[in-house]
Amino acid sequence: MSDVFPEECISETISFTCARDACRFSVVSTVFKSAADSDAVWEKFLPSDYREIISGSASPLLLTTNVSKKDLYLHLCHNPIIINNGTMSFAIEKESGKKCYMVGVRGLSFSCGDSQCWKWSSLQESRFCKVAELNYVWWLDVKGKIDTKILSPKTNYGAYLVFKLTESTSGFRTRPVKLGVYLEGIDNGERRNVYLDPPRNTPKLSQKRGDGWMEIEMGEFFNENGDNGMLICSVFYFKGLHTKRGLIVEGIELRPKDGK
């Protein structure tokens, strides 16, 4: 095929596939490798507004350095960049190239946000400059908001609480918290009760991430066209006078679920 069609035609054809297929094509022959690795192909795999996102980030030099579009794509898969004045991070999902966002603690709302309830500190393993550690609360209410217009359209997103538990944690083993994902003003979204520190013989719903944090799925949301307004992701507990402590929150992440 490479002897029949010019490289530009091969590149154009590959650009209608996906990043995974482009990598497979690159091992067919030297001509295919050149076509599959071209900027013309990988520009199509990047989000259409990637330049705007990067230019307003803490890493604008990614647009000015002599880096190929393939290398930029792979960089954004493995190295989230900080945006919105440090309140969010942005990355792309490796298989699909769709957008992933995490709302850090500076972008979350804490109904009990004073120094007695939460302590703001820095952790080396966090992508953000600050995380929030729970000193103690009687009730818990943490919310994150994200505008659906910045999410990838026609995409099923999962929302995940990214957290850790300290050695002195208490109140999360005997009492579940309620997680919710719903549209602002249309409070009919999904709700689930989960144990962040599950008791013995209770299924563990959280899992360890590659970055050393834990995550637990809060719910999911299908973003049709990005015109549904604000998506709310919440963690709350209001039942009884049971103190909770020792929860460290890095943020709430939204990413395509199962690459869809």
Side-chain angles (χ1 to χ4, degrees), residues 16 57 83 86 92 106 138 160 164-165 170 176 195 204 211 215 220 235 240 242-243 250:
F16 287 101
S57 75
I83 62 174
I92 57 177
R106 290 178 57 195
W138 297 106
Y160 303 86
K164 287 185 176 186
L165 296 173
S170 66
Y195 291 95
K204 188 175 182 180
D211 58 7
E215 70 175 23
E220 58 185 82
V235 184
H242 303 281
T243 59
E250 183 183 35

Side-chain angles (χ1 to χ4, degrees), residues 182-199:
Y182 52 92
L183 291 169
E184 188 173 46
I186 309 176
D187 195 359
N188 59 353
E190 186 177 356
R191 295 287 194 279
R192 57 180 63 178
N193 291 312
V194 300
Y195 291 95
L196 296 183
D197 184 21

Side-chain angles (χ1 to χ4, degrees), residues 11-41:
S11 294
E12 180 67 18
T13 301
I14 295 175
S15 71
F16 287 101
T17 62
C18 64
R20 179 180 56 187
D21 291 339
C23 291
R24 290 173 175 172
F25 280 122
S26 68
V27 301
V28 172
S29 68
T30 55
V31 174
F32 266 80
K33 177 172 175 56
S34 179
D37 289 349
S38 69
D39 280 354
V41 168

Side-chain angles (χ1 to χ4, degrees), residues 41-55:
V41 168
W42 289 86
E43 179 88 21
K44 294 287 187 67
F45 298 154
L46 287 162
S48 59
D49 57 349
Y50 78 91
R51 292 181 180 274
E52 179 183 353
I53 295 171
I54 295 175
S55 64

Side-chain angles (χ1 to χ4, degrees), residues 26-257:
S26 68
V27 301
V28 172
S29 68
T30 55
V31 174
F32 266 80
K33 177 172 175 56
S34 179
D37 289 349
S38 69
D39 280 354
V41 168
W42 289 86
E43 179 88 21
K44 294 287 187 67
F45 298 154
L46 287 162
S48 59
D49 57 349
Y50 78 91
R51 292 181 180 274
E52 179 183 353
I53 295 171
I54 295 175
S55 64
S57 75
S59 308
L61 290 179
L62 286 173
L63 293 176
T64 59
T65 52
N66 188 24
V67 60
S68 70
K69 293 299 186 292
K70 179 180 180 179
D71 287 342
L72 176 60
Y73 183 101
L74 295 176
H75 180 85
L76 291 174
C77 289
H78 301 292
N79 302 278
I81 60 175
I82 303 302
I83 62 174
N84 284 17
N85 296 317
T87 63
M88 297 177 67
S89 71
F90 167 80
I92 57 177
E93 199 273 329
K94 188 174 183 179
E95 295 290 327
S96 64
K98 293 183 177 182
K99 300 175 184 178
C100 308
Y101 291 95
M102 186 188 293
V103 183
V105 294
R106 290 178 57 195
L108 300 178
S109 65
F110 297 80
S111 58
C112 181
D114 61 43
S115 58
Q116 291 185 334
C117 296
W118 293 89
K119 177 175 67 176
W120 309 96
S121 60
S122 300
L123 287 181
Q124 185 177 0
E125 60 267 34
S126 176
R127 67 186 64 177
F128 298 105
C129 64
K130 295 292 183 182
V131 297
E133 180 177 343
L134 182 62
N135 287 329
Y136 73 89
V137 290
W138 297 106
W139 46 272
L140 187 69
D141 188 8
V142 180
K143 286 188 176 68
K145 292 185 179 183
I146 191 165
D147 197 329
T148 57
K149 71 182 179 183
I150 71 173
L151 301 175
S152 296
K154 310 294 183 185
T155 302
N156 190 41
Y157 275 91
Y160 303 86
L161 175 67
V162 182
F163 70 100
K164 287 185 176 186
L165 296 173
T166 68
E167 293 182 357
S168 60
T169 186
S170 66
F172 293 103
R173 177 166 295 180
T174 58
R175 302 285 174 174
V177 298
K178 190 177 290 291
L179 306 178
V181 176
Y182 52 92
L183 291 169
E184 188 173 46
I186 309 176
D187 195 359
N188 59 353
E190 186 177 356
R191 295 287 194 279
R192 57 180 63 178
N193 291 312
V194 300
Y195 291 95
L196 296 183
D197 184 21
R200 188 175 300 176
N201 300 324
T202 299
K204 188 175 182 180
L205 300 179
S206 60
Q207 59 182 355
K208 192 170 184 178
R209 296 160 52 97
D211 58 7
W213 291 82
M214 300 294 293
E215 70 175 23
I216 192 165
E217 185 173 344
M218 303 173 66
E220 58 185 82
F221 167 75
F222 184 76
N223 189 44
E224 182 69 36
N225 297 310
D227 56 1
N228 288 315
M230 302 298 293
L231 184 69
I232 310 297
C233 305
S234 66
V235 184
F236 53 100
Y237 173 84
F238 293 111
K239 292 183 179 180
L241 299 177
H242 303 281
T243 59
K244 295 181 179 294
R245 70 178 71 245
L247 171 68
I248 302 176
V249 176
E250 183 183 35
I252 294 175
E253 184 174 60
L254 281 97
R255 64 176 188 264
K257 193 172 181 183

